Amino acid sequence: MTMTLFSKIILKLVCSMMLIAPFFVSGQTDQHRRGLKDYYKGYFPVGVAVTPRQLADSAQKNFILKHFNSLTAENAMKMAPIHPKENSFFWTDADAIVNFAQQYKLKLRGHTLCWHNQTPRWMFYDQAGNLVSKEVLLQRLKAHIYAVVGRYKGKVYAWDVVNEAVADEPDRMFRNSLWYQICGEDYIFKAFQYAHEADPKAILFYNDYNTEYPRKREHIYQLLKKMRDAGIPVHAVGLQAHWSITNPSKQELESTIMRYASLGIKIQITELDVSIYAKDSDSASGFTPEREQQQAAQYLSIFKAFREHRKQIHGVTFWNLSDRYSWLDNFPVRGRKNYPLLFDAELQPKKAYWEVVNF
Ligand code: GLA
């Protein structure tokens, strides 16, 4: 029996109704179903710094799974929390994050193996309270890196091996940390060597902030070049990206990306937030409509640059989930509430979010 034209049209209509019906039923539009990571699928993974408590809370867990496909432990893998005493490790928190990433097939960045902050005192001192020798310190660094990288081998795909070793002062190359005072620059090279030995497949990062300031950018460039020329296994640079509504300009950001990319290394944005205060001295007048607008414009500008440089940018990670909590609530001014992320305290998208996903 042949179908009449009329019944064919009716059949088509019914079929297409059936296809779109679920969205009407759930009241969801495409905009609501897609998360940040989905908009950036063809570009780079979108990550977020987390605590184990957030992963255990069902609302935050669902929010994370909707918007992000990569995680970084905000604190759990840092040296002081994970290696509180020479012969004792605290794995519980880091394990929880690793297990979550495995369960939901999320990428996981390791952060961080060697830093001047959040490092336990025992690392630098002997039992009599004197600073240890270079030999002892490097031995301890090696034991730490072997234990942590070894435990998560194959589960953590990238490590921030050395964090913030370059100085802020324009006339100084290296930060004058205890690492540097005891070992000179060798601790940096050794850290990369140990991490590579512990997991030869991991992508190894040097990670720092203010990477767009010309002098510091150049110092970091020189350090990376020296390591590359010497065959030290540094594969990538992490731009922390603790930025603000006025900094950096698109042009400053692009020059930074191209400068580091010229070394033939990968780049990731590792700790992104955009402070609503242009200066440390700005008074705490809160999230005004003007600042909201400036922040949306700044997010638009930096994500445009990321998209245009998708060949160089291999990942973008936000530092904290939403404006409910950010480390910037207490830095650099104690108690000055900040609103640096794409989601508000109720985990709802802000104006800046829509700028970032509308392209
Ligand atoms: C640095 C570190 C991060 C984090 C932030 C502030 O950028 O790399 O781990 O501690 O400071 O929270």
Side-chain angles (χ1 to χ4, degrees):
M1 194 175 75
T2 56
M3 271 183 158
T4 64
L5 183 61
F6 180 70
S7 49
K8 270 187 189 163
I9 292 171
I10 295 290
L11 186 65
K12 271 205 164 157
L13 264 175
V14 170
C15 288
S16 40
M17 287 296 288
M18 278 166 69
L19 273 178
I20 58 173
F23 306 131
F24 281 115
V25 172
S26 65
Q28 290 216 324
T29 62
D30 189 49
Q31 260 185 353
H32 288 97
R33 272 180 306 108
R34 294 174 82 189
L36 189 51
K37 66 173 175 13
D38 304 309
Y39 289 94
Y40 281 88
K41 202 164 174 216
Y43 290 85
F44 36 72
V46 183
V48 65
V50 294
T51 64
R53 278 177 67 183
Q54 290 166 335
L55 304 181
D57 169 81
S58 69
Q60 295 184 79
K61 169 185 160 183
N62 292 336
F63 168 78
I64 291 166
L65 292 175
K66 173 174 176 178
H67 288 289
F68 304 98
N69 50 10
S70 175
L71 300 180
T72 302
E74 184 182 5
N75 289 303
M77 292 185 186
K78 289 175 179 168
M79 205 182 253
I82 210 168
H83 199 170
K85 295 188 199 136
E86 182 158 15
N87 295 314
S88 116
F89 288 87
F90 175 72
W91 300 116
T92 314
D93 285 355
D95 280 0
I97 295 172
V98 173
N99 292 340
F100 186 92
Q102 290 278 296
Q103 184 180 356
Y104 293 101
K105 299 193 168 29
L106 308 175
K107 291 173 105 56
L108 181 58
R109 303 188 78 259
H111 175 82
T112 176
L113 297 169
C114 181
W115 189 25
H116 63 282
N117 272 333
Q118 292 183 266
T119 301
R121 202 186 130 83
W122 67 260
M123 182 59 75
F124 301 113
Y125 293 91
D126 64 17
Q127 287 194 334
N130 300 313
L131 284 179
V132 293
S133 65
K134 174 174 176 177
E135 204 185 7
V136 170
L137 186 55
L138 290 179
Q139 193 47 48
R140 289 179 177 180
L141 178 64
K142 180 176 179 180
H144 172 76
I145 291 180
Y146 271 40
V148 177
V149 176
R151 183 175 181 90
Y152 300 128
K153 187 174 173 180
K155 296 179 177 169
V156 166
Y157 83 102
W159 277 101
D160 291 331
V161 178
V162 176
N163 203 27
E164 305 177 350
V166 169
D168 288 317
E169 302 87 332
D171 52 354
R172 235 197 115 81
M173 175 75 183
F174 291 106
R175 179 185 298 278
N176 194 24
S177 64
L178 281 179
W179 291 108
Y180 186 75
Q181 288 170 31
I182 298 172
C183 301
E185 59 196 274
D186 280 356
Y187 81 91
I188 304 171
F189 310 148
K190 290 288 184 194
F192 279 92
Q193 182 197 317
Y194 302 148
H196 188 60
E197 286 162 9
D199 184 354
K201 289 198 179 133
I203 304 171
L204 304 184
F205 280 73
Y206 174 76
N207 194 48
D208 215 328
Y209 62 92
N210 287 354
T211 47
E212 306 70 38
Y213 291 8
R215 289 289 296 175
K216 191 163 176 184
R217 172 169 74 207
E218 223 33 47
H219 284 159
I220 295 170
Y221 175 91
Q222 283 164 20
L223 169 64
L224 292 170
K225 182 158 182 358
K226 187 169 181 181
M227 287 200 279
R228 298 284 288 179
D229 290 347
I232 291 167
V234 56
H235 311 121
V237 59
L239 315 187
Q240 289 187 2
H242 294 299
W243 292 333
S244 81
I245 46 176
T246 53
N247 166 63
S249 69
K250 186 159 183 272
Q251 205 217 318
E252 284 165 336
L253 173 55
E254 289 179 333
S255 319
T256 304
I257 294 172
M258 295 324 286
R259 184 72 175 141
Y260 293 134
S262 73
L263 288 164
I265 57 174
K266 295 181 175 172
I267 300 168
Q268 285 197 12
I269 306 301
T270 53
E271 307 182 16
L272 177 60
D273 43 31
V274 174
S275 167
I276 61 158
Y277 303 106
K279 290 193 232 92
D280 290 358
S281 56
D282 274 1
S283 61
S285 50
F287 197 37
T288 60
E290 193 194 346
R291 283 176 172 151
E292 182 184 26
Q293 193 50 49
Q294 283 177 291
Q295 187 186 51
Q298 175 68 332
Y299 263 115
L300 172 66
S301 151
I302 62 185
F303 269 82
K304 256 193 184 158
F306 297 161
R307 291 196 298 270
E308 284 164 17
H309 295 277
R310 63 203 275 186
K311 285 213 175 83
Q312 289 83 35
I313 302 287
H314 292 260
V316 174
T317 291
F318 287 84
W319 207 249
N320 302 129
L321 299 184
S322 76
D323 291 348
R324 186 180 296 178
Y325 156 75
S326 157
W327 72 288
L328 291 171
D329 293 340
N330 278 310
F331 184 88
V333 181
R334 257 202 107 66
R336 183 180 68 176
K337 175 77 189 140
N338 212 319
Y339 302 82
L341 298 157
L342 293 184
F343 301 93
D344 68 18
E346 274 69 56
L347 308 180
Q348 296 306 308
K350 291 160 58 181
K351 196 174 251 175
Y353 175 87
W354 298 115
E355 293 290 359
V356 162
V357 300
N358 268 333
F359 58 92

